[in-house]
Amino acid sequence: MTATHPTHGRTTAKHGWATGMTAFAAIMLMIAGILAVLRGIAAIAEDEVFVSTRNYIFEFDLTGWGWTHLALGVAAVLVSMGLFQGSGWARVIGVGIAGLVIIANFPSLPAYPVWSVIMIAMSAFVIWALCTPRGKDA
């Protein structure tokens, strides 16, 4: 008969929860990245796709904005692939990329509030999930 450690079940559950959160964060970052790539391509290809808002404090060139989203989207997809492999560097860079996605979506709040809030919320969740302790840290 073997003795079991009383906290073993909780530690295993915490580790499983943290691992699942990291995988879900990787999926969410990949989805956000793909959507950012598509949004960037749309902004670069057709200026008529997006609504222009008058008297908004943030004025920006739509093509430049499109390239920004395209670059962030590609970076997000690449980092999410690193997250699927469990890379430590991907966790750190993933937090940074998700933060930049939040900042990049802020200027479009007046024109596309629902889309922007969804992207901001997805990125905020990615940051939270990647900052959650995992494994021995939990």
Side-chain angles (χ1 to χ4, degrees):
M1 179 103 108
T2 59
T4 59
H5 193 275
T7 61
H8 179 69
R10 282 190 288 162
T11 303
T12 303
K14 283 183 183 178
H15 179 68
W17 176 256
T19 303
M21 293 297 289
T22 302
F24 194 65
I27 292 167
M28 294 292 282
L29 189 61
M30 181 171 278
I31 291 169
I34 291 169
L35 291 173
V37 165
L38 295 174
R39 188 177 196 182
I41 290 170
I44 293 166
E46 285 290 327
D47 286 350
E48 292 81 31
V49 172
F50 293 94
V51 176
S52 61
T53 305
R54 298 175 195 245
N55 300 325
Y56 186 49
I57 195 163
F58 296 111
E59 291 187 28
F60 46 85
D61 177 47
L62 192 57
T63 303
W65 184 69
W67 281 109
T68 300
H69 278 278
L70 182 63
L72 282 173
V74 168
V77 170
L78 292 174
V79 170
S80 69
M81 290 178 192
L83 287 171
F84 282 122
Q85 296 175 353
S87 300
W89 63 266
R91 290 176 67 87
V92 174
I93 295 174
V95 170
I97 294 293
L100 290 174
V101 169
I102 288 172
I103 293 168
N105 279 283
F106 181 74
S108 64
L109 273 169
Y112 298 98
V114 174
W115 176 267
S116 297
V117 168
I118 289 171
M119 292 300 288
I120 289 169
M122 284 175 65
S123 298
F125 176 78
V126 167
I127 291 170
W128 174 75
L130 292 178
C131 290
T132 301
R134 65 183 180 116
K136 292 181 251 177
D137 302 333

